[in-house]
């Protein structure tokens, strides 16, 4: 894997297009009568099996007063079920040699299980117990609330995270993506056990869940196991307001009509700058070109921001760019960590680089290098068995279908220099600029 990574990195730096490589076979897909979607891939995996359960539970489905409930519910679910407490759950997983991870993003909560093949059935039973029989003990809710409030304060004390949060709040004034994943002090203070129980009943339902299995188990066998063990998931439809959200999403997240600047004082050694532009969701035709544009601007050492701000002008110690994969409109964000004395110069330099992309044709070789980096990182992330299970389920949950996972490289490879220039002119016009650091 390390050799592959080095080769891909060299291709990206030198502007060499990646050679064609055969795409992996598509997973087998079933939609069960309950509405549960199941994916299965039989793969050589040294006797291991990965199971990824994707639930439509994240800020996108939270009301503002519920902000942070997806993470709070997830953490409390790990603290105990109706049959055993958190310590007993952990012991049972350890006996099987299994590992359970849980993460929450803007659109989803992910539960990922990695287990030796011989322990698959009992490990799945434990996972389903966690997902369908949480006890939500009041003392567990209170203990986790305190932990999440501390994590939230720590996050807000980090200038990089706080700048990104300010950008999100400004770009999504009415859209649920405004809600921080951890929530707010106000929302966490008001969430009670009853709120978690209702939320769990509304979103942990078969039509709102995708289960993906990858590894050394025949696909038909895997699907039969999932159908039997996940029968406890209720078939309650997805809440109606989520269907309404898709219809009004663009109204709730409109393109800014002018540049907006936000500054927040923190007594830190360095300052952090974030520029945010409202883009599109993963299902939009412009999504691949925006991925390439973000990489060209701030992805890696060959990017324009790295070469300009760090190498030539020495204005930043760190630069980056991100354009997330989301169901709704994603934010293309450029960031830089700088000495407080260099904030204004660095911000001006960042804006110049964006304007250059918008106003002048982009060289073909630069676009080819950015394409290679996007595709290379996508392929590298599939080296892990857990990610092989995760990605098809994720794209299925996001509404573009599980096949999208094997189409990403092809879609990115079709992006041209004129496409990058076009999306730059269309989407990268009026940024939200956030600066967090010492007072000037």
């Amino acid at each position: 894997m390390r050799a592959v990574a080095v080769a891909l990195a060299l291709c990206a730096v030198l502007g060499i297009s990646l050679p064609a490589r055969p795409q992996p076979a598509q997973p087998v897909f079933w939609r069960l009568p309950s509405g549960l979607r199941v994916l299965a891939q039989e793969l050589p995996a040294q006797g291991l099996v990965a199971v990824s359960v994707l639930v439509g539970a994240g800020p996108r489905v939270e009301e503002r007063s519920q902000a942070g409930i997806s993470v709070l519910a997830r953490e409390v679910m790990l603290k105990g079920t109706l049959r055993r407490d958190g310590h007993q759950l952990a012991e049972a997983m350890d006996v099987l040699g299994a590992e359970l991870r849980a993460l929450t993003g803007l659109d989803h909560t992910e539960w990922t299980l990695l287990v030796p093949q011989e322990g698959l059935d009992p490990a799945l039973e434990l996972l389903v117990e966690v997902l369908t029989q949480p006890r939500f003990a009041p003392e567990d809710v209170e203990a986790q609330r305190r932990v999440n409030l501390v994590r939230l304060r720590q996050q807000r004390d980090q200038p990089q995270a706080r700048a990104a949060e300010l950008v999100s709040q400004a770009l999504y004034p009415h859209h649920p993506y405004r809600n921080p994943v951890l929530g707010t002090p106000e929302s966490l203070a008001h969430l009670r056990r009853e709120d978690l129980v209702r939320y769990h009943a509304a979103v942990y339902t078969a039509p709102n869940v995708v289960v993906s299995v990858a590894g050394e188990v025949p696909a038909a066998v895997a699907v039969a196991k999932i159908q039997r063990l996940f029968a406890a998931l209720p078939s309650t439809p997805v809440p109606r307001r989520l269907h309404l959200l898709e219809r009004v999403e663009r109204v709730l997240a409109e393109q800014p009509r002018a540049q907006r600047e936000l500054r927040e004082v923190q007594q830190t050694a360095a300052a952090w700058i974030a520029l945010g532009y409202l883009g599109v969701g993963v299902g939009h035709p412009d999504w691949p070109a925006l991925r390439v544009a973000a990489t060209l601007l701030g992805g890696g050492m060959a990017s324009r921001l790295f070469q300009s701000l760090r190498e030539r002008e020495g204005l930043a110690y760190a630069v980056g760019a991100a354009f997330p994969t989301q169901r709704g409109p994603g934010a293309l964000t450029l960031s830089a960590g700088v000495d407080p004395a260099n904030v204004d110069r660095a911000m001006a330099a960042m804006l110049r680089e964006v304007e250059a992309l918008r106003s002048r044709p982009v060289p073909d070789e630069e676009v080819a290098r950015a394409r290679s980096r996007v595709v290379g990182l996508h392929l590298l992330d599939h080296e892990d068995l857990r990610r092989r299970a995760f990605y098809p389920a994720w794209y299925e949950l996001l509404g573009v279908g599980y096949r999208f996972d094997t189409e990403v490289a092809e879609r990115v490879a079709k992006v041209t220099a004129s496409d990058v220039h076009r999306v730059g002119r269309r989407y990268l016009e009026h940024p939200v600029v956030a600066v967090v650091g010492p007072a000037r």
Side-chain angles (χ1 to χ4, degrees):
M1 179 173 170
R2 182 176 177 83
V4 174
V6 172
L8 289 170
L10 284 173
C11 286
V13 171
L14 298 174
I16 301 171
S17 296
L18 287 169
R21 70 185 263 179
Q23 291 289 347
Q26 292 281 5
V28 178
F29 176 78
W30 278 267
R31 186 185 296 271
L32 303 182
S34 64
L36 182 70
R37 288 161 285 176
V38 184
L39 293 152
Q41 309 170 69
E42 184 176 5
L43 301 168
Q46 296 181 322
L48 296 174
V49 179
V51 181
S52 189
V53 179
L54 275 289
V55 185
R60 179 182 172 81
V61 306
E62 298 173 352
E63 298 178 12
R64 188 166 295 189
S65 62
Q66 296 178 314
I69 194 170
S70 300
V71 172
L72 184 60
R74 182 199 79 204
E75 293 298 323
V76 177
M77 288 165 72
L78 288 168
K79 289 183 176 294
T81 71
L82 298 178
R83 297 181 58 192
R84 61 194 102 205
D85 61 27
H87 180 68
Q88 291 169 327
L89 281 170
E91 282 187 333
M93 285 288 182
D94 286 347
V95 167
L96 298 171
E99 182 180 59
L100 178 62
R101 297 179 181 178
L103 299 169
T104 298
L106 289 175
D107 293 294
H108 72 284
T109 291
E110 167 196 357
W111 302 81
T112 299
L113 176 70
L114 185 66
V115 60
Q117 180 187 23
E118 59 272 16
L120 178 59
D121 281 12
L124 277 174
E125 290 172 0
L126 287 170
L127 175 57
V128 172
E129 182 180 321
V130 171
L131 297 179
T132 62
Q133 301 177 43
R135 66 182 183 183
F136 290 126
E139 62 271 22
D140 292 340
V141 175
E142 291 305 315
Q144 191 61 45
R145 184 205 318 279
R146 291 192 295 270
V147 171
N148 286 9
L149 283 168
V150 171
R151 292 170 61 193
L152 186 59
R153 286 194 294 269
Q154 291 174 336
Q155 189 177 80
R156 289 192 168 184
D157 287 341
Q158 298 170 3
Q160 181 178 5
R162 182 57 180 159
E165 183 179 345
L166 291 173
V167 166
S168 287
Q169 290 175 349
L171 284 177
Y172 302 109
H174 309 295
H175 193 286
Y177 282 159
R178 172 189 174 91
N179 298 334
V181 174
L182 278 174
T184 66
E186 296 76 20
S187 65
L188 288 177
H190 291 97
L191 290 174
R192 295 291 179 263
R193 178 187 186 275
E194 295 72 22
D195 299 311
L196 270 64
V197 171
R198 282 194 296 269
Y199 182 75
H200 176 268
V203 299
Y204 278 79
T205 66
N208 198 38
V209 173
V210 183
V211 182
S212 179
V213 182
E216 295 202 358
V217 57
V221 173
V223 174
K225 292 178 186 292
I226 298 302
Q227 183 171 16
R228 174 175 58 86
L229 293 169
F230 279 75
L233 275 180
S235 57
T236 312
V238 174
R240 183 171 177 268
R241 64 183 179 85
L242 299 184
H243 296 297
L244 295 175
L245 174 61
E246 295 185 4
R247 299 178 188 176
V248 300
E249 199 147 32
R250 264 301 171 190
V251 178
L252 297 179
E254 293 183 304
Q255 285 287 343
R257 299 181 181 178
Q259 179 174 320
R260 182 179 177 189
E261 185 175 320
L262 306 167
R263 290 185 182 246
E264 184 172 289
V265 174
Q266 278 193 16
Q267 296 308 316
T268 54
W272 203 269
I273 306 168
L275 275 61
Y277 301 86
L278 192 64
V280 298
V282 65
H284 195 283
D286 288 338
W287 178 81
L290 280 168
R291 284 292 298 271
V292 174
T295 301
L296 187 149
L297 285 168
M301 296 172 63
S303 68
R304 291 187 176 190
L305 290 181
F306 189 95
Q307 290 298 313
S308 173
L309 270 74
R310 180 162 171 168
E311 295 298 288
R312 290 197 296 272
E313 299 186 54
L315 293 174
Y317 67 87
V319 297
F323 180 56
T325 301
Q326 295 174 191
R327 185 168 190 136
L332 192 157
T333 306
L334 308 176
S335 56
V338 303
D339 186 284
N342 291 332
V343 164
D344 291 336
R345 289 176 59 202
M347 185 193 307
M350 294 170 75
L351 291 170
R352 279 198 306 272
E353 291 297 339
V354 175
E355 185 55 34
L357 184 142
R358 297 183 70 249
S359 60
R360 295 194 292 272
V362 182
D364 290 335
E365 61 272 16
E366 193 176 6
V367 174
R369 183 171 61 238
R371 284 197 311 257
S372 293
R373 180 177 174 84
V374 173
V375 173
L377 292 177
H378 173 75
L379 295 175
L380 279 173
D381 208 22
H382 286 64
E383 294 293 313
D384 186 283
L385 184 65
R386 283 170 287 210
R387 305 306 281 174
R388 292 289 295 273
F390 166 78
Y391 274 112
W394 189 37
Y395 290 123
E396 179 65 29
L397 189 73
L398 292 180
V400 292
Y402 67 93
R403 292 186 179 89
F404 192 88
D405 183 40
T406 56
E407 297 171 358
V408 169
E410 181 182 352
R411 290 170 185 254
V412 171
K414 292 179 179 178
V415 173
T416 66
S418 61
D419 290 331
V420 173
H421 184 58
R422 175 181 54 78
V423 297
R425 292 185 61 81
R426 180 172 180 179
Y427 300 102
L428 308 185
E429 183 175 9
H430 300 306
V432 170
V433 181
V435 179
V436 178
R440 287 189 287 185

